Amino acid sequence: MEGLIDWLPWLAVAVIPGVLNVFAAFEELEERCKLLPFFEPLRNPGVWLWGVIQFSFPTAIFWMVAALSTQPVVNLELIGMAIGFGVGFIAVLNASTQIGSRTYTIKPIYTFFIDRAYGLIAAKQDDRVFEFWTDVETELQKSPDLTEGLSILENYFAFQESLTRQPIENYGKDLNEIRSMTDRAEQARGIKVLLQRVRRERLFRILRRFQVSETLLIRYFPRQFGDRPPRRKR
């Protein structure tokens, strides 16, 4: 135990790239799992494996690159180097890494393990996901009116662009094309594709505006449906 305590200053520096990389990579995790409306990261073993990989790779590589085993002086320069390494870890992956006198290409090994983690995430998503999107498309075909839902969807994407300062590709064009369609089945497919770009925590409220059946909402969103606000009187 005393030996471990003696190493704490260098261990603390070593974990900086790992922590930063986990935060930086989380956006990619969200993007790759956006079609999983019932995805609960903390309950999925694949996400924990993903987190371990995202943390351990930059931590271990920085330990070797910075020769922390030699116990260099822990100063602002070393801490700044650790921060820069963590922020730029993706760039490190896409280049050869010099460790001692040898050059290594890390990305193939990293990609192999990350793909195993995503495979485990996918394996824990049951047929409910595929049934959900099929049922959504079916319900959209039967909806009495799509107008309000399309307006809400348009406002949602505009808000996301304003908030994140990141343009959402072609959403205005896609919405105009959907509005101009005369075939309800084509409209339903187009809307489903746009709904798959909605953040999962907003999906329930937006679906309600498309006037889908309460049966679908109760089946897939029982908790949110129980907290729904009362319908406005017409």
Side-chain angles (χ1 to χ4, degrees), residues 89-100:
F89 180 64
I90 297 301
V92 173
L93 285 178
N94 291 321
S96 298
T97 303
Q98 189 78 24
I99 300 176

Side-chain angles (χ1 to χ4, degrees), residues 1-12 71:
M1 180 62 72
E2 291 182 1
L4 180 61
I5 293 175
D6 292 339
W7 281 96
L8 280 180
W10 295 275
L11 291 172
Q71 296 185 332

Side-chain angles (χ1 to χ4, degrees), residues 136-147 149 184 187-188 191 207-213:
V136 164
E137 185 174 334
T138 301
E139 289 293 330
L140 289 170
Q141 292 183 43
K142 297 188 294 186
S143 172
D145 188 2
L146 300 173
T147 305
R184 175 55 74 90
Q187 278 188 313
I191 293 170
L207 272 175
R208 289 193 70 225
R209 298 301 187 97
F210 279 102
Q211 299 186 33
V212 298
S213 72

Side-chain angles (χ1 to χ4, degrees), residues 78-206:
L78 184 62
I79 294 173
M81 181 180 174
I83 293 172
F85 191 90
V87 172
F89 180 64
I90 297 301
V92 173
L93 285 178
N94 291 321
S96 298
T97 303
Q98 189 78 24
I99 300 176
S101 60
R102 296 186 177 184
T103 301
Y104 297 89
T105 302
I106 306 298
K107 189 172 183 178
I109 304 172
Y110 168 85
T111 301
F112 173 83
F113 284 105
I114 285 293
D115 287 346
R116 302 290 81 72
Y118 278 115
L120 185 55
I121 291 172
K124 291 297 180 180
Q125 297 298 307
D126 57 25
D127 292 341
R128 187 178 181 219
V129 173
F130 314 115
E131 292 173 358
F132 169 75
W133 288 116
T134 300
D135 289 346
V136 164
E137 185 174 334
T138 301
E139 289 293 330
L140 289 170
Q141 292 183 43
K142 297 188 294 186
S143 172
D145 188 2
L146 300 173
T147 305
E148 183 181 8
L150 288 170
S151 295
I152 291 295
L153 201 55
E154 184 173 25
N155 290 336
Y156 167 82
F157 286 130
F159 174 76
Q160 289 295 311
E161 278 196 337
S162 174
L163 185 66
T164 63
R165 300 296 185 185
Q166 295 179 353
I168 300 175
E169 185 177 0
N170 292 332
Y171 85 86
K173 177 184 176 183
D174 293 340
L175 283 167
N176 289 335
E177 289 181 354
I178 289 170
R179 287 186 173 113
S180 67
M181 291 175 181
T182 56
D183 185 285
R184 175 55 74 90
E186 289 185 5
Q187 278 188 313
R189 284 193 292 272
I191 293 170
K192 181 186 72 173
V193 171
L194 289 181
L195 287 172
Q196 290 173 342
R197 299 162 70 179
V198 171
R199 295 174 64 88
R200 62 180 59 87
E201 59 268 23
R202 297 287 179 265
L203 189 55
F204 168 76
R205 291 184 178 275
I206 293 178

Side-chain angles (χ1 to χ4, degrees), residues 41-56:
L42 297 181
R43 296 186 178 184
N44 193 305
V47 174
W48 290 100
L49 175 60
W50 172 90
V52 169
I53 295 168
Q54 297 288 11
F55 174 82
S56 60

